[in-house]
Amino acid sequence: MHPIIIVHGGAGDIPESRVQGKLDGVKLAVAIGHKILEQGGSALDAVEAAVVSMEKDEYFNAGYGSVLNLRGEVEMEASIMCGKDLNVGAVTLVKDFMHPISIAHKVLTDSPHSLIGGEGAKLFALEKGFPTVPHESLISANAKSALEEFLQSGEFGRTEIGTKNEGGVGTVGAVAVDARGHVAVATSTGGMSGKVVGRIGDTPQIGSGTYADDNIGGVSTTGHGESILKYCLAHSIIKLMEGGEDANTATRNAVTGMTSRLKNTAGAITLSKDGDVGIHFSSQRMAWAYIKNDQIFYGINQNQVLKESFTSI
Ligand code: GLY
């Protein structure tokens, strides 16, 4: 099996001013994950590293740059899944750590539980040696202005950050198949701007934000969380593939099905167990990238596929 990784940087009405930063960020993230796979690393380690790269980047709604709840705080969520044994790790309502995806990975490897939230997630992370960071150090200027804009308009719009005008950041995710044929998926988010304190979205919920199964493939989703979780979007795509649809058809059918039923937008990236790629989004934009045959493929607009030759970083 030739290993492969695909990443996304969030679906939404992304303004032009954020396009280049997001494209640069997904290209870097996929290159980091690709390097791990090429060196014989596991799909789990590759997807975690790709997501960590985007959690550091203020162009994305995850880690530093996460959007803010109504109290002006960051409350982050992440999940990771191993397709070999269907093992999962997820965290929610995380406030004081830079990399929720790494805590989620630790839940997968070191906890008898699957999803840990709030104070419990903090205690778990501290026990496992994750360093805390000052809460303010996670808050970007863009996240502050998105909350101000939300408070003025007072309505949740079509984008995952809650307003119609400022969709500049997005949930992040990665899907990989390693040389041993194991599938892994990781997804991380700050949720939606102006959410109530304690709101939990799709990203930490297995089957909604994330799903991986070595017998079928893997999916990471992004977009309107309340819709994605009602539709169990990631698992819906997996079920369509199990029924015989290819990765791209299944991704398109489930995303358009969710949007037509629930009138909100989403996006998803998919790999079949054989490394076939699926990408679809019903929002205006979604940044994505993957590497295949020494070429990097990437895009952000509808029907856009850009291509460059790729040399490992
Ligand atoms: N899809 C991210 C969220 O709505 O929380």
Side-chain angles (χ1 to χ4, degrees):
M1 171 79 206
H2 199 80
I4 180 167
I5 180 165
I6 180 168
V7 306
H8 72 75
D13 293 354
I14 298 160
E16 197 58 43
S17 61
R18 307 286 289 178
V19 165
Q20 193 57 49
K22 286 171 88 67
L23 286 176
D24 293 344
V26 290
K27 286 166 76 180
L28 175 63
V30 82
I32 288 170
H34 174 81
K35 187 170 185 182
I36 291 173
L37 293 175
E38 288 295 314
Q39 290 172 342
S42 72
L44 272 172
D45 286 342
V47 293
E48 180 192 345
V51 166
V52 159
S53 164
M54 292 185 280
E55 284 178 338
K56 283 182 197 157
D57 185 339
E58 69 110 359
Y59 277 95
F60 302 105
N61 174 15
Y64 172 61
S66 286
V67 297
L68 306 176
N69 66 19
L70 275 177
R71 225 159 45 189
E73 299 164 340
V74 161
E75 284 186 315
M76 301 171 290
E77 318 185 271
S79 63
I80 189 165
M81 183 162 184
C82 173
K84 182 181 167 198
D85 49 15
L86 306 188
N87 206 2
V88 299
V91 289
T92 185
L93 307 176
V94 171
K95 286 184 179 179
D96 308 307
F97 298 90
M98 183 66 195
H99 295 300
I101 196 62
S102 300
I103 307 172
H105 196 170
K106 210 47 151 182
V107 171
L108 184 153
T109 54
D110 285 30
S111 169
H113 305 303
S114 298
L115 169 58
I116 307 179
E119 184 64 15
K122 182 171 183 174
L123 290 174
F124 175 83
L126 289 173
E127 194 182 296
K128 298 298 171 191
F130 288 93
T132 54
V133 295
H135 191 76
E136 316 77 62
S137 70
L138 295 167
I139 299 178
S140 68
N142 190 64
K144 276 188 191 163
S145 60
L147 180 62
E148 275 160 27
E149 215 176 306
F150 169 80
L151 291 173
Q152 274 159 25
S153 77
E155 70 173 298
F156 288 109
R158 287 164 290 149
T159 76
E160 62 187 344
I161 74 155
T163 72
K164 290 185 169 62
N165 299 327
E166 176 44 81
V169 289
T171 294
V172 302
V175 183
V177 187
D178 64 29
R180 289 169 291 281
H182 296 314
V183 181
V185 179
T187 313
S188 180
T189 192
M192 53 162 57
S193 199
K195 63 187 180 179
V196 300
V197 173
R199 177 264 190 187
I200 297 170
D202 57 304
T203 299
Q205 304 202 46
I206 298 301
S208 296
T210 292
Y211 206 82
D213 184 343
D214 277 9
N215 296 329
I216 303 168
V219 181
S220 172
T221 70
T222 165
H224 186 254
E226 279 69 8
S227 302
I228 293 171
L229 68 86
K230 286 170 195 160
Y231 209 76
C232 297
L233 183 59
H235 200 249
S236 294
I237 295 170
I238 292 288
K239 290 307 274 184
L240 292 177
M241 289 165 73
E242 192 177 32
E245 291 188 12
D246 64 71
N248 207 39
T249 306
T251 307
R252 187 184 62 237
N253 283 343
V255 169
T256 53
M258 187 213 90
T259 293
S260 110
R261 185 79 195 271
L262 295 167
K263 314 297 176 219
N264 273 300
T265 61
I269 52 168
T270 303
L271 289 178
S272 75
K273 66 180 168 55
D274 301 316
D276 300 319
V277 172
I279 302 165
H280 195 78
F281 48 102
S282 53
S283 52
Q284 201 181 78
R285 286 177 162 144
M286 179 183 81
W288 57 269
Y290 69 91
I291 294 167
K292 201 168 195 171
N293 301 330
D294 297 326
Q295 290 192 303
I296 182 163
F297 298 83
Y298 61 100
I300 193 164
N301 294 319
Q302 290 290 350
N303 304 314
Q304 179 187 43
V305 181
L306 303 167
K307 191 168 76 170
E308 287 166 16
S309 62
F310 176 78
T311 338
S312 210
I313 55 170

